Amino acid sequence: MKILDPTDERVPVRRSLAARPEGVTGTVGTA
Amino acid sequence: MQSLPSFSLRDLEDRERSFPNGKPTLLCFVREECETCHLSMPVIEAVHRAFGSAINVWAIGQEDNAALIKHHKATVPMLDDMALKVSFANKIEIVPTIILSDASGVEVIRWEGFHKGDWQALIGRLSELSRLAPPGFDWGRYPESRPGCGSKSVEPGILERLVAEAEDSPLRARELEIAERDDPFEFMFDQGLSDGLPVVPPTAERVIRMLNVTRRDPQEVVGTCAPNYAPVTIEKIAINAVMAGCKPEYLPVVIAAVEGLCSREFNAHALVSTYGPSPVIVVNGPIRQRIGMNMGINVLGHGNRANATIGRAVKLVLRNLGGLRPGEIERAALGSPAKYGACYPEFEERSPWEPLHVERGFNRNDSVVTLFSLEGSPHQIADQTSRTARALAGSLALGMECGWHPKVRRVGDTLLVISPEHVDTLWRDRWSKNDVRQHIQEITSRPLRELMPTDDYGGQGTTSEQAALAKGRTEEELNHRIPKFKSAENIHIIVAGGPAGKWSSVIGAFGDAAVSVPVSRKIEEIPQ
């Protein structure tokens, strides 16, 4: 997806990809 | 006749076809799901077989082109315009659209839909032009005419994208690409573009749709926005309005409010203050009804899209263009919920008085925004017992003393929102707004000695004038009475709220009116 920059464009874009968890934690249900 | 835009498209055999190419050309814009296009395809094929050696006869398909050709066992070159750029450039609104151009690319004939007479006349003309025999054709199988279908290039969402990507696109803003696996909402949080709530991704399509409601040039600079003094274009306002969740029809209100925000007298730079002021917007005039603003129950609260998002859009402009971000240049010690946005319409129809914008010199039928720089959140004043205008106005005055600090005097512009039940009590005695204002000044006038700090409480006052008055004064001077407000004109009154409830609200002043002056701007009229 592309979006239009709402700022005055004097500030560089920080980065293009959000941080995401390294792995899945926790369990669902019981073993 | 006009020259048609040049283009190059590939046919189903991947052969490039360029227009114009020195031969007369019949351009037949079609889409597979259109019944009238199916009706026209045998005629197009026959014309191609009869005259294809002398002129270009091209079908230009918008979708499922191979299926359309296969269905009719056609040999006419089918050019792939599934990107719809050529359809858009040729302003195709209906399919089929049939266009004949001369050898230089100038349009000679154009029609939409199926018209037997037009086809017969065209075939006669092509036969004359090419000196080739016309195709034998069983015209009896065909209706006289049949309307076409909508071109895919004008479908909602698609048209806006084509406008955005066209050579003469109204958009100039930088595009930010969000990775396919990234969440656009999280991306915008990460970029610091949000006020803390999710924002609507401002895609080109949404921004184009927003801009469609205004006649103003998207690149027009309406002003510079403090505190960073960035230039603010109509396009940038539209982007932030999309993010705030505005409908396109709200945009003229947002633009007018931003114009006020950028004015010298409003002085948006002061919004960086530790006191935490916010722009509070009052909307007057016919546009309130037209865009469905809530003037009644819970008017100062949540639940109405226009009320909620117009104020938010203005705050996002302040944040994203002005650079007003808390913890950075914005230093509000506490802030208030109004920092998310504060925009309220006046319930003019429920008021016996002139509405705010008429008091400020506009015509009643003008739509107008008025911006105040205020402490932000409304403070409610309860009075369920006053039965006269005098008693009620005096009661409201006591409630209004809390602005800035109960003892501080000569404060500046303050907004008093009077509920319908309260205004009924005031109007029963035929009190005008000015009567209310004068009584508030009278009731809140206190001798200077009462405003002095004691061992039990401080708060001498923060206006320099008052501080100076307190030093070494005579008895007479200490008995001098000082009204709460700098002048009666600093008390701005509107009527709004639900039908039941003897409560009114005051939104307190930001200081002594020296830093910011309320501004009004007329809202652009949009044809219905």
Side-chain angles (χ1 to χ4, degrees):
Chain A
M1 174 187 277
K2 286 181 182 174
I3 61 169
L4 298 178
D5 190 342
T7 75
D8 64 357
E9 304 181 17
R10 290 188 284 201
V11 180
V13 181
R14 290 177 192 165
R15 57 195 174 79
S16 62
L17 198 65
R20 51 171 55 86
E22 290 298 319
V24 178
T25 58
T27 57
V28 177
T30 53
Chain B
M1 286 294 190
Q2 60 174 347
S3 285
L4 296 166
S6 58
F7 64 83
S8 287
L9 289 176
R10 293 193 173 277
D11 63 22
L12 293 179
E13 283 75 45
D14 205 29
R15 180 179 161 197
E16 188 165 320
R17 309 270 185 166
S18 295
F19 174 88
N21 64 2
K23 290 168 76 173
T25 303
L26 188 68
L27 306 170
C28 307
F29 290 86
V30 291
R31 65 185 290 190
E32 196 276 335
E33 71 171 34
C34 166
E35 286 298 321
T36 309
C37 295
H38 279 278
L39 178 71
S40 303
M41 277 302 289
V43 187
I44 296 168
E45 173 68 10
V47 170
H48 167 64
R49 286 177 183 272
F51 306 117
S53 60
I55 67 167
N56 302 311
V57 179
W58 295 340
I60 300 178
Q62 297 183 341
E63 62 187 357
D64 293 338
N65 299 330
L68 186 61
I69 287 290
K70 186 177 175 186
H71 182 84
H72 293 279
K73 299 183 177 64
T75 60
V76 62
M78 170 63 84
L79 278 54
D80 176 4
D81 189 35
M82 289 196 283
L84 302 168
K85 302 280 189 191
V86 176
S87 297
F88 174 76
N90 281 282
K91 300 181 172 56
I92 305 301
E93 295 182 356
I94 300 289
V95 287
T97 289
I98 310 298
I99 304 173
L100 177 66
S101 81
D102 67 14
S104 64
V106 172
E107 180 178 322
V108 180
I109 292 172
R110 177 189 290 235
W111 77 80
E112 296 167 343
F114 179 88
H115 302 284
K116 191 185 334 188
D118 285 340
W119 273 116
Q120 289 170 328
L122 175 68
I123 287 170
R125 184 167 180 166
L126 294 180
S127 177
E128 197 175 298
L129 188 73
S130 63
R131 299 173 189 276
L132 294 169
F137 212 75
D138 181 9
W139 287 109
R141 293 170 46 216
Y142 285 82
E144 286 301 316
S145 68
R146 184 166 290 175
C149 306
S151 169
K152 195 171 181 181
S153 57
V154 295
E155 286 185 0
I158 293 175
L159 175 62
E160 291 85 355
R161 177 175 57 77
L162 292 166
V163 171
E165 293 173 354
E167 266 183 31
D168 59 349
S169 167
L171 302 179
R172 296 288 182 279
R174 175 170 66 179
E175 277 195 322
L176 307 178
E177 186 154 10
I178 304 172
E180 198 177 318
R181 293 178 61 198
D182 215 358
D183 184 320
F185 294 91
E186 297 297 339
F187 174 86
M188 287 185 288
F189 278 122
D190 288 349
Q191 294 295 328
L193 305 176
S194 156
D195 52 11
L197 293 169
V199 289
V200 177
T203 59
E205 292 90 332
R206 291 188 176 118
V207 174
I208 290 285
R209 213 173 296 140
M210 184 69 70
L211 288 168
N212 279 345
V213 301
T214 179
R215 287 181 291 261
R216 298 176 69 166
D217 182 344
Q219 300 314 315
E220 176 191 343
V221 176
V222 304
T224 54
C225 187
N228 284 354
Y229 295 99
V232 181
T233 62
I234 298 287
E235 178 187 8
K236 290 290 183 179
I237 296 172
I239 294 170
N240 282 281
V242 166
M243 291 169 65
C246 289
K247 287 184 174 181
E249 55 263 40
Y250 307 166
L251 181 65
V253 187
V254 180
I255 292 172
V258 172
E259 285 175 332
L261 188 75
C262 293
S263 66
R264 178 179 285 271
E265 59 268 40
F266 185 75
N267 186 23
H269 200 109
L271 298 171
V272 305
S273 167
T274 54
Y275 188 62
S278 288
V280 174
I281 304 162
V282 175
V283 182
N284 282 101
I287 199 157
R288 296 163 304 129
Q289 303 275 13
R290 207 175 297 148
I291 64 175
M293 296 192 82
N294 172 35
M295 301 170 275
I297 290 172
N298 202 36
V299 60
L300 307 183
H302 64 292
N304 177 276
R305 183 170 174 181
N307 293 28
T309 60
I310 292 170
R312 189 187 186 203
V314 172
K315 284 304 311 284
L316 286 175
V317 167
L318 262 168
R319 177 189 179 86
N320 288 326
L321 291 157
L324 193 73
R325 283 185 282 271
E328 297 177 27
I329 199 167
E330 183 178 8
R331 309 303 297 177
L334 298 170
S336 77
K339 289 277 188 185
Y340 285 105
C343 178
Y344 316 118
E346 182 171 0
F347 200 162
E348 296 170 27
E349 296 77 0
R350 192 59 182 78
S351 171
W353 299 321
E354 279 191 337
L356 179 72
H357 68 309
V358 176
E359 286 185 286
R360 295 176 65 81
F362 293 88
N363 294 321
R364 186 175 280 269
N365 286 332
D366 291 338
S367 292
V368 175
V369 290
T370 301
L371 269 77
F372 301 90
S373 192
L374 300 177
E375 66 183 11
S377 293
H379 167 70
Q380 194 152 287
I381 306 165
D383 186 324
Q384 297 183 290
T385 57
S386 292
R387 295 293 180 264
T388 67
R390 175 172 298 279
L392 178 57
S395 176
L396 296 177
L398 293 177
M400 294 173 73
E401 283 203 274
C402 68
W404 193 275
H405 185 283
K407 292 203 300 180
V408 167
R409 286 301 181 268
R410 298 193 186 283
V411 299
D413 298 287
T414 296
L415 183 64
L416 176 61
V417 183
I418 298 182
S419 69
E421 276 210 65
H422 273 173
V423 83
D424 287 346
T425 301
L426 296 167
W427 188 242
R428 199 177 304 127
D429 293 338
R430 293 296 184 268
W431 272 42
S432 68
K433 280 190 185 178
N434 277 338
D435 292 333
V436 175
R437 290 185 181 108
Q438 294 300 336
H439 196 55
I440 289 170
Q441 285 290 66
E442 188 184 324
I443 292 296
T444 59
S445 290
R446 308 239 175 252
L448 180 59
R449 69 171 66 253
E450 286 185 16
L451 308 174
M452 304 288 281
T454 72
D455 290 341
D456 291 325
Y457 54 78
Q460 173 179 302
T462 55
T463 62
S464 55
E465 186 185 6
Q466 189 178 349
L469 275 174
K471 287 181 186 167
R473 293 296 166 181
T474 64
E475 278 297 301
E476 186 182 357
E477 286 169 332
L478 288 171
N479 287 332
H480 176 68
R481 299 179 75 85
I482 309 173
K484 176 73 181 178
F485 298 95
K486 204 166 188 176
S487 78
E489 287 70 40
N490 293 116
I491 304 168
H492 304 271
I493 299 174
I494 64 170
V495 173
K502 293 180 186 295
W503 334 103
S504 288
S505 266
V506 60
I507 309 179
F510 172 35
D512 59 1
V515 289
S516 179
V517 175
V519 295
S520 296
R521 290 291 183 272
K522 193 172 170 182
I523 299 167
E524 179 190 7
E525 292 293 335
I526 303 298
Q528 295 305 294

